[in-house]
Amino acid sequence: MQDRKKILGIIFSNMHDEMLRELTEKRTMASVPFGGRYRFIDFTLSSLVNSNIQSVGVITKSNYQSLMDHLGSGREWDLARKREGLYILPPFGNAGVSGIYRGRIEALAGIMGFIKHSDARYVVLADCDTICNYNIKTILNEHIEKEAEITAVYQRKELNAQNCRDATVFSCNESGRITDVMINPGIQGECNVSLNLMIMEKALLERLVTENMSRNLFSMEKDVLQAKASAMRLYGYEYKGFCAKIDSMRDYFDANMMMLNKEVRDELFINNGPIYTKVRDDMPAKYGLNSKVTNSLIADGCMIEGEVENSVLFRGVTVGKGAKISNSIIMQDTSIGEKSVLNYCITDKDVTIKDNRMLMGYLSYPVFISKASVV
Amino acid sequence: MIRKKEWIAMLLAGGQGSRLHVLTKNLAKPAVPYGGKYRIIDFTLSNCVNSGIDTVGILTQYQPLELNEYIGNGQPWDLDRSHGGVHVLSPYQKATGSDWYRGTANAIYQNIHFIEGYDPEYIAVLSGDHIYKMNYEKMLDFHKAKNADCTIAVITVPWEEASRFGIIAADEDSRIFEFAEKPQKPKSNLASMGVYIFSWKKLKKYLEENERDQNASKDFGKDIIPAMLADGQKLVAYPFEGYWKDVGTIDSLWEANMDLLDPKVPLELHDPSWKIYARNPVMPPHYVGEEANVQNAMIAEGCNIFGTVDFSVLFAGVTIEKGAVVRDSIIMPGTVIKSGAVVQYAIVAEDVIIGENCVVGMRPEQVENKDDWGIAVIGAGAKLKAGSVVKPKQMIDADRQEE
């Protein structure tokens, strides 16, 4: 029997890249490392899989080598299937179109064949800048109940000078209907901030894409949500669970530090189903004599002989004797020499910090050390 | 049509491991957890894959359920192949009757059809009970260079322990002239590691002969090797140097885990060129809390540590509450140690709950009579009420609730 509520997932892997410029220089937003062993896309992809979605397309644009490497055949998400599963959709260039899209609508136009081929009734569009573990089924149920044409998910969030650069804000009436859409309004205070997660019938999406492309309109926010707010039944769904939307390096830093909270970890990693990621087959973390670790998240393969506090250590990090790491995010395979001191630092993958180095940032401005640097 | 393979491996995983008591009550010995994220069989399986063997038959018959599920399609070891790969071989019914595996040689004999399906030149017969990293490909090269019929891997053991092993005496050209299973007066201290390479045609002949002998015990060490020696076949000893440990007893399982914390022990798990593969838990990194104190430990994903951990190995998803102390112990997946509990010199199996202020095990120096001291063991799924005391050497079985 055909599943009347079958959903097709589409993930945009390159949206908002410029918001984390340091981290997305050599990778997509989707493949930014997070939380000791994950990449951003793991949260979106696992949410979809935990919501029992069998077919997911990932739209790529540029720098997507690391993403391809991470996703592989989709086996870790149980998406390596004969029927459906994971589809990586690289830019499709031909004589007329360069393949590099200018907005969501144009990106979707490039994968129209993939969308049309699916037998799902609904389609969910998601980005990779949110750290959460949501269930699409509950959102779909509300979508059906309200007879909405498009349901867009938002979160109540405090906007400040830093994170309002990339925010779409909804105004909703009491029934939840979206009455106004503001794109990067530059306002501050608590708002209904879009999580760039929306659901609609696939047939509607196909129509909207064709219609907008014929008028050379390619922005989902401007040309669909904003332009049709009054003409269509647009509803907002407030997501009340844990969700960290990453719009700046500060957000990135804070969200990593939130992982040190057990309630947050339980909600994100356990209660709503697991977050899957690529496995690495490393040994469990090893603690040496006189190691001292407090309030930190430590991944497999780490070897700790020094001190670590209030930090997140990714897989395969080594901390030498007498070193002290505080308030830092240390990515995969970073090696920290003896007696080095790091405070408020973010080191990208494969960084080497030699012995007796001292690096100090500040909460509002963590020091960032780019991939494979030697200090 | 048969597509030929140069060699395949047969892994003997049928043993009950009765000396591990409650730990193997519902679990085959090769599936016993080891080293924070592994199971014993991961070492042999990873050795196979890293040595270039892509076809492995695993012979099971004792409590195979969890082992079968763990092996699955072999994907974690890269053994999900379209030709070959890993196969779990349990005893099955045949037209001429059915039988359990009666000894190691009989187990291979009953699967001759499986082996012949790959028409191998050589066959590696391995046991799934040991912790070691070994390149079988080098051993195969040795087997070929010596033009041998059978090559047995050997390791030098202390003289005083030699009577626990199959002892081999070989000449300076490595040729074996005597094999004695657990001899009372060993003539050498070269022990068989239970790792054999045979030229398949030879082995097949001896298996068939052994099968016809009604009185034979159908065992490699007792029948096949002595028969080949008696016939003047060429058996050679391949010397292995490095870490090798049988984890067949509570004490040796405990020691083998503790060896991982000793920087002097040559068993490196963090070795990109010789990875030990295992099924990975889907869990976040482990968390070490504000007042926690962790030293000399190995800790897997998903743990939450708020207490003290010293000289211990913690498997995935273990919780150590505030004020709890774990020393010189092995805590298997999903176990919770509640606040105020003290666990010392103990092996605690999966999904156990140790209640508040429980005392499990003791340090050897705290015990007056040394004979009363030993590792305390808590079986899988046991729930200890708050304040319970488990003495050294004591074993708690989940089905027999604690006294």
Side-chain angles (χ1 to χ4, degrees):
Chain A
M1 202 190 77
Q2 168 93 42
D3 180 3
R4 297 285 301 148
K5 289 188 180 176
K6 189 166 170 178
I7 309 172
L8 169 71
I10 294 177
I11 298 177
F12 295 90
S13 66
N14 280 95
M15 292 294 164
H16 325 288
D17 283 7
E18 63 288 349
M19 292 298 127
L20 294 180
R21 199 167 298 124
E22 294 92 333
L23 287 165
T24 54
E25 193 190 354
K26 294 203 174 88
R27 51 170 83 91
T28 61
M29 191 72 173
S31 45
V32 169
F34 182 84
R37 65 184 298 219
Y38 301 97
R39 305 278 183 145
F40 277 177
I41 197 171
D42 293 338
F43 295 89
T44 305
L45 201 50
S46 301
S47 294
L48 299 188
V49 169
N50 290 334
S51 311
N52 205 17
I53 294 179
Q54 316 274 343
S55 179
V56 181
V58 177
I59 299 180
T60 63
K61 183 181 188 180
S62 50
N63 298 343
Y64 55 87
Q65 255 179 36
S66 64
L67 181 65
M68 300 272 288
D69 174 55
H70 182 69
L71 294 176
S73 62
R75 196 175 55 211
E76 270 88 10
W77 298 265
D78 215 6
L79 286 173
R81 309 257 132 241
K82 270 194 175 175
R83 295 185 52 190
E84 312 189 316
L86 178 73
Y87 299 85
I88 296 176
L89 306 162
F92 187 86
N94 62 21
V97 195
S98 69
I100 301 295
Y101 54 81
R102 290 166 291 175
R104 283 174 215 269
I105 297 287
E106 202 170 24
L108 291 165
I111 61 157
M112 218 42 186
F114 168 76
I115 297 172
K116 286 203 163 134
H117 188 259
S118 162
D119 64 350
R121 176 159 175 198
Y122 296 96
V123 54
V124 53
L125 305 177
D127 283 1
C128 294
D129 61 338
T130 48
I131 303 301
C132 59
N133 191 352
Y134 44 78
N135 193 319
I136 295 293
K137 294 272 159 151
T138 35
I139 302 169
L140 176 64
N141 288 341
E142 196 173 303
H143 175 82
I144 293 170
E145 203 178 290
K146 295 206 163 151
E147 296 174 354
E149 288 180 281
I150 299 177
T151 297
V153 182
Y154 66 85
Q155 175 193 32
R156 297 289 295 169
K157 184 181 173 178
E158 195 74 31
L159 285 184
N160 56 40
Q162 279 180 327
N163 63 13
C164 70
R165 292 175 301 160
D166 187 44
T168 302
V169 173
F170 300 143
S171 306
C172 300
N173 65 18
E174 314 80 67
S175 70
R177 186 154 174 180
I178 296 175
T179 52
D180 196 11
V181 176
M182 288 170 284
I183 297 162
N184 307 342
I187 49 173
Q188 295 183 19
E190 202 181 62
C191 299
N192 298 335
V193 179
S194 164
L195 297 177
N196 295 310
L197 174 68
M198 59 186 86
I199 190 161
M200 67 186 93
E201 286 203 26
K202 193 173 73 104
L204 174 64
L205 180 73
E206 288 171 16
R207 208 175 69 227
L208 288 171
V209 169
T210 318
E211 211 176 279
N212 282 284
M213 282 306 283
S214 73
R215 298 203 173 98
N216 201 24
L217 302 172
F218 44 77
S219 162
M220 181 65 82
E221 288 89 350
K222 282 199 190 81
D223 305 320
V224 176
L225 295 182
Q226 206 165 38
K228 312 235 164 163
S230 50
M232 285 174 74
R233 291 179 64 81
L234 254 59
Y235 276 84
Y237 176 98
E238 187 188 346
Y239 183 73
K240 292 188 175 128
F242 175 81
C243 180
K245 188 169 181 293
I246 315 287
D247 294 325
S248 64
M249 281 304 266
R250 177 66 199 275
D251 279 347
Y252 176 79
F253 184 83
D254 289 347
N256 269 288
M257 291 306 158
M258 280 179 218
M259 297 301 118
L260 299 178
N261 181 325
K262 186 164 189 304
E263 277 86 55
V264 169
R265 279 201 313 281
D266 285 349
E267 183 178 342
L268 193 56
F269 297 107
I270 298 169
N271 301 349
N272 301 329
I275 300 294
Y276 302 94
T277 189
K278 188 184 176 190
V279 304
R280 194 170 118 127
D281 292 297
D282 215 331
M283 64 167 190
K286 225 169 160 174
Y287 291 77
L289 205 68
N290 302 324
S291 63
K292 190 171 185 309
V293 177
T294 50
N295 191 34
S296 295
L297 206 58
I298 314 283
D300 266 5
C302 286
M303 284 199 255
I304 301 169
E305 291 183 286
E307 276 184 55
V308 181
E309 60 172 17
N310 312 328
S311 296
V312 176
L313 267 56
F314 283 64
R315 295 187 275 203
V317 169
T318 55
V319 179
K321 283 196 187 82
K324 185 164 187 202
I325 321 274
S326 316
N327 311 305
S328 293
I329 299 166
I330 310 294
M331 287 188 211
Q332 203 166 309
D333 295 321
T334 294
S335 142
I336 293 162
E338 291 180 15
K339 297 201 179 102
S340 284
V341 179
L342 274 74
N343 194 5
Y344 288 108
C345 290
I346 301 176
T347 67
D348 207 329
K349 276 176 75 175
D350 301 317
V351 165
T352 307
I353 312 272
K354 296 202 165 159
D355 293 352
N356 303 309
R357 297 295 186 268
M358 194 179 263
L359 293 162
M360 298 280 189
Y362 193 72
L363 176 62
S364 56
Y365 197 89
V367 175
F368 179 80
I369 298 154
S370 61
K371 195 170 166 179
S373 321
V374 178
V375 179
Chain B
M1 199 194 80
I2 289 174
R3 273 164 65 198
K4 196 173 169 58
K5 297 233 179 233
E6 189 190 17
W7 60 329
I8 68 169
M10 296 297 270
L11 210 160
L12 301 163
Q16 185 183 347
S18 54
R19 286 172 301 156
L20 287 173
H21 306 280
V22 289
L23 295 178
T24 49
K25 199 174 146 229
N26 298 309
L27 192 66
K29 180 171 155 190
V32 168
Y34 167 81
K37 70 174 279 198
Y38 309 96
R39 292 182 188 248
I40 297 170
I41 197 171
D42 287 330
F43 285 80
T44 313
L45 276 180
S46 301
N47 285 343
C48 284
V49 175
N50 290 331
S51 304
I53 301 177
D54 65 5
T55 305
V56 182
I58 300 180
L59 302 152
T60 65
Q61 68 181 359
Y62 174 79
Q63 289 284 6
L65 198 65
E66 192 164 337
L67 182 62
N68 290 0
E69 193 189 324
Y70 184 69
I71 300 295
N73 67 350
Q75 182 269 318
W77 304 269
D78 222 359
L79 283 171
D80 50 336
R81 305 291 171 107
S82 47
H83 179 55
V86 70
H87 296 261
V88 176
L89 305 166
S90 298
Y92 57 95
Q93 215 162 24
K94 303 159 202 74
T96 53
S98 60
D99 222 335
W100 292 105
Y101 294 148
R102 287 160 297 134
T104 49
N106 177 256
I108 305 283
Y109 173 82
Q110 288 199 37
N111 288 288
I112 282 182
H113 286 302
F114 169 81
I115 298 164
E116 298 266 275
Y118 299 100
D119 187 22
E121 212 57 44
Y122 307 100
I123 175 170
V125 176
L126 313 165
S127 83
D129 303 351
H130 299 106
I131 304 293
Y132 66 117
K133 298 198 320 189
M134 176 176 184
N135 190 340
Y136 305 134
E137 202 169 14
K138 284 189 182 155
M139 181 169 164
L140 180 67
D141 291 343
F142 185 85
H143 180 85
K144 290 180 192 165
K146 295 280 178 192
N147 202 14
D149 299 304
C150 168
T151 301
I152 303 176
V154 294
I155 188 161
T156 311
V157 293
W159 277 99
E160 60 273 19
E161 288 178 30
S163 57
R164 287 176 40 218
F165 297 95
I167 291 297
I168 275 166
D171 64 19
E172 56 281 11
D173 193 32
S174 308
R175 185 157 184 164
I176 298 170
F177 56 85
E178 198 180 292
F179 179 89
E181 189 69 80
K182 299 190 177 114
Q184 291 198 318
K185 286 189 183 137
K187 286 185 187 159
S188 101
N189 62 344
L190 283 183
S192 161
M193 296 165 62
V195 174
Y196 308 92
I197 290 178
F198 292 94
S199 298
W200 169 238
K201 286 197 183 69
K202 276 278 158 55
L203 176 63
K204 192 183 166 196
K205 175 172 163 281
Y206 280 91
L207 287 175
E208 284 168 345
E209 277 173 16
N210 181 244
E211 200 55 32
R212 282 193 289 274
D213 179 356
Q214 293 294 322
N215 301 320
S217 51
K218 318 273 196 268
D219 184 87
F220 273 93
K222 290 190 188 107
D223 302 339
I224 305 289
I225 304 299
M228 288 180 84
L229 272 177
D231 286 357
Q233 302 288 355
K234 190 167 186 191
L235 283 79
V236 296
Y238 172 75
F240 172 78
E241 275 170 28
Y243 186 86
W244 177 80
K245 191 146 193 148
D246 178 76
V247 283
T249 63
I250 296 289
D251 286 353
S252 63
L253 179 65
W254 182 85
E255 275 165 28
N257 275 282
M258 293 303 142
D259 281 347
L260 292 171
L261 303 176
D262 184 347
K264 282 179 264 161
V265 171
L267 178 64
E268 177 60 82
L269 297 178
H270 186 71
D271 177 359
S273 71
W274 203 270
K275 276 191 179 182
I276 304 300
Y277 300 97
R279 240 174 233 286
N280 283 268
V282 184
M283 285 190 180
H286 71 262
Y287 174 76
V288 180
E290 208 72 70
E291 289 163 54
N293 186 356
V294 182
Q295 282 187 46
N296 311 302
M298 206 153 184
I299 297 178
E301 309 279 50
C303 291
N304 281 297
I305 299 161
F306 302 95
T308 298
V309 177
D310 196 7
F311 279 106
S312 294
V313 175
L314 270 53
F315 286 72
V318 166
T319 303
I320 310 289
E321 290 188 355
K322 206 167 154 183
V325 177
V326 175
R327 285 204 178 91
D328 303 283
S329 293
I330 299 154
I331 316 290
M332 292 184 187
T335 287
V336 178
I337 310 230
K338 300 231 171 187
S339 66
V342 179
V343 177
Q344 299 185 102
Y345 287 89
I347 299 179
V348 182
E350 290 160 80
D351 301 318
V352 169
I353 296 175
I354 302 221
E356 284 164 24
N357 304 317
C358 283
V359 179
V360 176
M362 263 187 207
R363 314 190 67 77
E365 56 271 22
Q366 291 172 315
V367 180
E368 272 179 37
N369 185 350
K370 290 291 167 247
D371 292 337
D372 293 342
W373 186 84
I375 304 293
V377 182
I378 315 283
K383 299 192 172 31
L384 296 197
K385 285 196 215 101
S388 312
V389 176
V390 177
K391 291 197 217 72
K393 235 179 182 174
Q394 199 179 346
M395 289 199 197
I396 301 293
D397 188 333
D399 300 334
R400 289 188 291 119
Q401 273 309 314
E402 92 278 10
E403 52 272 46

